Amino acid sequence: MLDHCIGITTVSESLKEELIVHGVPPAKVAVIPNGVDISKFKVLDRSDCRSRLQIDTANPVVVYVGRLSEEKSVTTLIEAAAAVISGGQSLDVYLVGDGALKNDLISQAETLGVRENVTFVGKVGHDEVSLWMGAADFFCLPSLREGCPNVILEALGSGRPILATKVGAIPDVVSDDSGILFEPEDVDGLVKTLGTAINRGWSETVISHSVKGLSWEKAAEKYYHFYKKAV
């Protein structure tokens, strides 16, 4: 199928490189990352967002948004949070989303003694996601695999530091100024990442500006020109 395509688009450099390894000519492939609605996902007042979501904590807040499924590896986040808390650092984790692993994750948090620190928010409307991004100190995505995850772009637009795995397009969009990346299923790596992130200063402005050029309009324009050239 790839041999017969006139052109191929991918959402990440890593996927393009994988296609090249399998014999696809580089000139045939264009990388077009996803976009983000920066009118919705922008820097919001953290205290106001927490008040609206009824979050009452002085602890650092880590937010995850996504499915509670195996490929998202939320178990890694819960285990790392438990290790950080047992080491004396206060921390609260909010898991926004639902999925087949919810009960297993609740059991894991109970077994590790951090059930009070891990809140299962459940599924929320897309309009509410921006409030959760705004309420966060950090956004964490410990996935085993990804394409170009919208939640990463939305968290960046919200000015929140990213703590995520080195998969898919995440290394393409997260810089040293906007987050810290670790290897999939590396609990110790995430523990270290959390400790570094909590004790480091971050610029909301620098982080939010990092995705100014990734609008859906610009993504659509790139697809338009690529398709026009192809036909």
Side-chain angles (χ1 to χ4, degrees):
M1 182 189 69
L2 295 175
D3 287 342
H4 286 81
C5 287
I6 296 171
I8 303 166
T9 64
T10 70
V11 294
S12 69
E13 289 289 346
S14 62
L15 186 51
K16 176 179 178 178
E17 291 168 5
E18 186 174 340
L19 292 178
I20 292 171
V21 168
H22 287 280
V24 177
K28 205 175 189 179
V29 187
V31 177
I32 303 178
N34 288 342
V36 59
D37 184 352
I38 57 177
S39 66
K40 177 182 293 185
F41 293 96
K42 55 190 176 183
V43 177
L44 300 176
D45 182 83
R46 185 178 284 105
S47 297
D48 178 60
C49 290
R50 291 186 183 183
S51 176
R52 293 173 65 180
L53 294 170
Q54 298 182 327
I55 295 175
D56 184 16
T57 180
N59 297 335
V61 169
V62 177
V63 169
Y64 162 88
V65 177
R67 295 185 304 278
L68 303 182
S69 52
E70 185 178 355
E71 76 277 5
K72 297 299 184 180
S73 195
V74 181
T75 53
T76 300
L77 172 55
I78 294 176
E79 188 174 348
V84 169
I85 292 168
S86 67
Q89 171 65 60
S90 298
L91 186 70
D92 287 319
V93 177
Y94 290 83
L95 305 177
V96 181
D98 206 349
L101 293 186
K102 180 178 180 179
N103 290 335
D104 291 342
L105 295 171
I106 290 174
S107 296
Q108 180 193 16
E110 291 174 345
T111 300
L112 293 174
V114 292
R115 184 64 183 88
E116 292 184 358
N117 300 89
V118 180
T119 300
F120 291 80
V121 177
K123 190 175 182 179
V124 304
H126 192 248
D127 288 342
E128 193 176 317
V129 172
S130 59
L131 287 179
W132 283 102
M133 297 297 188
D137 289 299
F138 309 100
F139 179 79
C140 184
L141 191 66
S143 302
L144 301 179
R145 53 189 177 274
E146 286 287 351
C148 183
N150 291 340
V151 287
I152 289 287
L153 303 179
E154 291 166 353
L156 289 171
S158 302
R160 300 303 180 244
I162 305 297
L163 314 178
T165 43
K166 302 174 183 178
V167 297
I170 295 176
D172 299 342
V173 297
V174 177
S175 68
D176 292 339
D177 291 328
S178 60
I180 305 174
L181 304 184
F182 56 97
E183 297 295 335
E185 297 185 293
D186 184 0
V187 174
D188 291 338
L190 180 50
V191 170
K192 183 178 179 180
T193 293
L194 284 165
T196 301
I198 290 170
N199 292 292
R200 174 182 162 184
W202 299 91
S203 169
E204 293 180 339
T205 301
V206 169
I207 295 173
S208 64
H209 281 180
S210 69
V211 292
K212 288 294 185 182
L214 294 178
S215 68
W216 283 115
E217 290 78 11
K218 289 186 177 180
E221 184 179 356
K222 289 179 181 178
Y223 277 113
Y224 172 79
H225 288 297
F226 187 81
Y227 294 154
K228 186 176 180 181
K229 180 181 178 181
V231 299

